[in-house]
Amino acid sequence: MEHERPLLRWLDVGLPRLINFLNHTDGRDKALKVIQYSGKLLVATMSRLDPSLRERLVKMIAGLSLTRAVLRLAHFVLLLPEARDWLLGRLRVADEEAGALQPYNAFASILNDILDDILTLAKLGLLDKARLSAVDRAASRLWLSCCLIDLYVAWRGLRCAPPGAVDTRLVVAKFSGDLVCSALE
């Protein structure tokens, strides 16, 4: 179809440029995440924490949360090539059991990122927060489903990985940490 060619051309040329730009913020997000989650763990586990220090930590955590959300605005664009490849049948999975969840995960991640962008814009005062409770619930549920799928896929990979394959264990640790820190909220 003729009307699809400009979009496909943009996906092949413009999208990689946008992805390159957005990838530069990913490292900053990860560094801030470590600081934010360390603060959450301190607040959650230190019952004798000085009240003024606790209050400052809570403010720091909230500030880092908003900063990270702003850094992740339009993150869904990074996921578009994978979704395109699923739609075009370019992606195949070696592990059929875990792989059956991957197309859902790709599209749920995109939708979750878009909902997170809407919530971030509301936190910045650009949208009315009062009307977004359903968006918040949907984003949380999508995020949790994607984390659980990522954990399952990583666990399946860990079972099949040769001894000493640290990278899969790190993925499991990362997603487990995300779930624990989210439970602390």
Side-chain angles (χ1 to χ4, degrees):
M1 291 182 215
E2 190 62 36
H3 68 281
E4 291 180 343
R5 287 191 179 160
L7 176 61
L8 291 176
R9 188 171 30 257
W10 182 83
L11 286 173
D12 289 336
V13 177
L15 187 58
R17 289 181 184 154
L18 184 56
I19 287 171
N20 186 42
F21 171 76
L22 291 173
N23 274 335
H24 291 290
T25 62
D26 199 41
R28 291 183 196 104
D29 176 49
K30 299 298 182 226
L32 293 174
K33 183 179 195 176
V34 168
I35 298 167
Q36 177 189 4
Y37 283 18
S38 297
K40 284 182 178 186
L41 286 171
L42 274 174
V43 168
T45 59
M46 304 292 283
S47 59
R48 295 187 194 171
L49 203 57
D50 176 58
S52 67
L53 178 57
R54 178 183 294 278
E55 184 180 330
R56 288 194 312 261
L57 282 172
V58 167
K59 286 180 182 178
M60 177 197 77
I61 292 164
L64 288 172
S65 177
L66 183 57
T67 301
R68 290 184 58 232
V70 169
L71 285 174
R72 288 189 316 270
L73 281 171
H75 181 266
F76 71 92
V77 172
L78 299 174
L79 308 174
L80 290 176
E82 181 184 356
R84 176 199 59 203
D85 290 345
W86 280 114
L87 285 173
L88 295 176
R90 293 180 186 166
L91 291 181
R92 299 282 184 253
V93 292
D95 181 351
E96 289 296 322
E97 186 176 324
L101 300 170
Q102 293 298 82
Y104 165 81
N105 204 26
F107 293 102
S109 294
I110 290 170
L111 181 56
N112 177 55
D113 281 356
I114 291 169
L115 296 179
D116 279 347
D117 287 356
I118 291 168
L119 294 169
T120 298
L121 295 175
K123 287 179 186 175
L124 292 170
L126 298 172
L127 299 174
D128 183 11
K129 287 183 201 178
R131 299 174 187 241
L132 296 177
S133 61
V135 172
D136 191 25
R137 275 192 310 276
S140 295
R141 290 174 181 162
L142 284 168
W143 174 84
L144 180 60
S145 71
C146 291
C147 274
L148 292 173
I149 290 169
D150 288 339
L151 266 173
Y152 177 71
V153 170
W155 173 76
R156 297 263 314 163
L158 186 60
R159 284 187 32 211
C160 302
V166 177
D167 55 309
T168 308
R169 291 183 184 137
L170 288 174
V171 171
V172 171
K174 182 249 187 238
F175 288 117
S176 299
D178 281 350
L179 289 171
V180 168
C181 287
S182 294
L184 294 174
E185 290 182 356

